[in-house]
């Protein structure tokens, strides 16, 4: 008997809403259809176990088939099926109220509508002009019925002939969704959403190469693994099983370092396998590798905000019936069960790392370079993870030796504590480029850490906050005696006039490099140290590096790099330059210096006299006197600098020393490098 009716909704615009607002996520319809078919098959198994179904169960599988000519996609199962009454209850009555509020709240979110209101079946109308349900219940004496709807609230229901129990869902694909009539597209979606469902999912037949072409065989093409590795008992699995499963999930990835098999049933249900990949220096490319499942049904692989951010660097699978299926990520992020799961996984990961470190430290150290980015990211982003990780996070020094934080503190506290009782951690970022600075520190008995990782700059800043009374300094941030100041004893210094002249000689010959500023200073460093050393402020360099991670600090990235050119007044070559400069310029500079000192003395006297007066008591004549005296001083200084600049231009040693320092720091290139090489040959002749 045929009947017609209206689907029980309180408004007639539910289908346009599904079509319009769910369109961006329309591919999930296939997951919904196959998932429903799997559920129907699973329910029949349950009824059989309970004794409520005594018939012949036979082979339970879900079949997906395409008919491109008829423009249909069909999903068939041999599950429990439905009676006419059940169709009326589960299909015709969409049980929700307040449709107006619903539309406003969920109009932009496909997953939220489908999951929150149980509209999984109705996702089929996102891609279909008409949907037919042909179904026959497992119940004895049940009659087969066909339900049809063209996307309006109108439906037709009639009795039909169907030999076997179960349900066929026939989707008449819309013209604007023809992509879902392409077998390669359907294969892609089945592999994405259904590859681990608990009932075999069949799509066509397996093929073989015959007579120069691919032909179908008689064997069903089963696209899924009904018993994925995470559903099995860990004790029954071998290392090779875990590696093979990883290769199946990520065919092009390197072998993982190790893994965690999650298996908990209280206070929530959770299974899964998380792999530690070989992460080195690219965080972003490693994301979205954790696949989230609910009872073996794929939910999402975009797990940011669902699990802690640093865990998104792991690979693998998490499966939990307590994770709501078909809801938005924002809903998942606020779900209480998901938060519990997140906390549990963080603890399990930390426990696994701690146990690995304890069981085989040597092996752990060999894996550290791949683990470091992950652990550093965790410590930076998750406070409770830092509290756990500080015991198995390692420092590596330039000699390749590994230390826990506590071990390293014990190692350096005697030698690397400064006069104020602060422990100074020295580090390098490039062993070859910073070799001279590393050696200078080692010659002092200091140990130097190797910190060349992507997150080492923010880690250093964090550790300065976490560790008691300490600071970190890169070995080229200053001359070694100023990196760790041991006492306040004054060292020998050059006379001011000589120091000023020497500084000007070198300053005048420094190149103009893009976004780089140089400051010159003179320091007595001992005859054995380099004649010229370039250092870079720890603070400014670190701020510029931190600006890469914190957008609010972007103004630092626009500032030029600031370097100090330190002249070692004890070195014979610097002494030679100074002596030569004095010998050649003494006569020319003598009257200028005499005039300069006289004007400076006059300016000091004028300032002293005016300091005794209130600003309003100083006459214009007195102000002009100060300005004219300052102008005279500037003129004499310019004359002096011109003489020193002319001298410096022709001094090959000055140019050679500057270029050597630039070369050591990777800043000598192009024509400047070519000139240096030619000059080097001339000096050797």
């Amino acid at each position: 008997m045929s009947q017609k009716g209206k689907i029980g909704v309180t408004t007639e615009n539910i289908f346009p809403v599904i079509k319009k607002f769910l369109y961006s996520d329309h591919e999930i319809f296939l997951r919904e259809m196959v998932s429903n078919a799997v559920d129907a098959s699973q329910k029949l198994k349950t009824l059989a176990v309970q004794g409520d179904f005594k018939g012949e169960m036979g082979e339970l599988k879900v079949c997906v088939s395409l008919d491109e000519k008829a423009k249909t996609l069909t999903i068939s199962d041999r599950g429990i099926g439905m009676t006419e009454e059940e169709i009326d209850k589960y299909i015709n009555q969409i049980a929700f109220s307040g449709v107006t509020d619903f539309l406003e709240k969920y109009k932009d979110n496909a997953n939220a509508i489908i999951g929150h209101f149980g509209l999984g079946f109705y996702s089929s109308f996102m891609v279909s002009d008409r949907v037919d349900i042909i179904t026959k219940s497992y119940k004895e004496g049940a009659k087969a019925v066909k339900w049809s709807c063209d996307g309006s609230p109108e439906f037709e229901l009639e009795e039909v002939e169907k030999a076997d129990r179960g349900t066929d869902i026939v989707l008449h694909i819309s013209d604007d969704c023809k992509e879902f009539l392409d077998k390669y597209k359907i294969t892609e979606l089945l592999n994405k959403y259904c590859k681990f469902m608990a009932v075999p999912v069949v799509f066509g037949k397996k093929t073989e190469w015959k007579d120069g072409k691919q032909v179908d065989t008689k064997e069903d093409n089963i696209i899924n693994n009904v018993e994925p590795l995470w559903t099995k008992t860990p004790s029954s699995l071998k290392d090779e099983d875990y590696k093979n499963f990883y290769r199946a999930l990520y065919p092009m990835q390197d072998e993982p370092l190790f893994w965690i098999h999650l298996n908990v049933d209280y206070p929530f249900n959770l299974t899964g396998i998380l792999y530690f990949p070989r992460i080195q220096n690219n965080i972003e490319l490693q994301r979205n590798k954790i696949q989230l499942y609910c009872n073996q049904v794929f939910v999402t692989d975009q797990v940011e905000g669902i699990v802690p951010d640093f865990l998104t660097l792991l690979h693998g699978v998490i499966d939990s019936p307590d994770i709501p299926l078909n809801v938005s990520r924002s809903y998942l992020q606020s779900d209480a069960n998901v938060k519990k799961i997140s906390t549990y996984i963080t603890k399990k990961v930390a426990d696994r790392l701690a146990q690995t470190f304890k069981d085989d430290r040597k092996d752990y150290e060999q894996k550290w370079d791949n683990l470091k980015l992950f652990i550093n990211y965790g410590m930076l982003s998750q406070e409770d993870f830092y509290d756990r990780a500080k015991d198995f996070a390692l420092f590596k020094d330039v000699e390749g030796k590994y230390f826990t934080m506590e071990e390293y503190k014990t190692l350096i506290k005697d030698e690397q504590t400064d006069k104020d009782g602060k422990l100074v951690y020295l580090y390098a970022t490039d062993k070859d480029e910073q070799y001279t600075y590393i050696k200078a520190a080692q010659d002092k008995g200091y140990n130097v850490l190797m910190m060349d990782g992507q997150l080492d700059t923010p880690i250093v800043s964090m550790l300065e906050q976490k560790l008691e009374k300490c600071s970190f300094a890169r070995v080229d941030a200053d001359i070694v005696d100023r990196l760790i100041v041991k006492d306040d004893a004054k060292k020998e210094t050059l006379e001011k006039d000589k120091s000023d002249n020497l500084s000007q000689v070198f300053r005048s010959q420094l190149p103009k490099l893009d976004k780089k500023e140089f400051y010159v200073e003179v320091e007595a460093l001992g005859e054995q140290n380099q004649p010229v050393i370039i250092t870079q402020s720890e603070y400014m360099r670190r701020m510029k590096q931190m600006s890469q991670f914190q957008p609010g600090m972007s103004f630092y990235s626009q500032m030029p790099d600031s370097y100090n050119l330190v002249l070692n007044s004890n070195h014979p070559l610097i002494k030679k330059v100074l002596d030569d400069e004095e010998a050649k310029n003494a006569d020319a500079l003598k009257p200028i210096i005499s005039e300069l000192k006289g004007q400076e003395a006059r300016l000091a006297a004028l300032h002293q006299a005016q300091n005794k007066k209130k600003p309003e008591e100083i006459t214009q004549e007195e102000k002009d006197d100060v300005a004219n005296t300052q102008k005279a001083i500037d003129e004499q200084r310019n004359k002096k600098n011109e003489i020193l600049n002319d001298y410096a231009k022709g001094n090959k040693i000055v140019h050679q020393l500057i270029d050597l320092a630039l070369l050591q720091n990777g800043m000598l290139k192009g024509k400047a490098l070519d000139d240096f090489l030619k000059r080097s040959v001339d000096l050797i002749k």
Side-chain angles (χ1 to χ4, degrees), residues 375-388:
I375 293 175
N376 282 354
Y377 191 20
M379 291 195 297
L380 285 166
S381 61
Q382 197 86 359
E383 184 73 26
D384 58 344
F385 186 76
Y386 170 82
D387 293 336
R388 297 174 186 274

Side-chain angles (χ1 to χ4, degrees), residues 30 33-34 37 62-64 73-77 167-171:
L30 189 58
M33 298 300 99
V34 177
V62 175
C63 293
V64 179
L73 176 66
T74 302
I75 298 92
S76 303
D77 68 71
T167 302
D168 300 333
I169 308 288
V170 183
L171 310 183

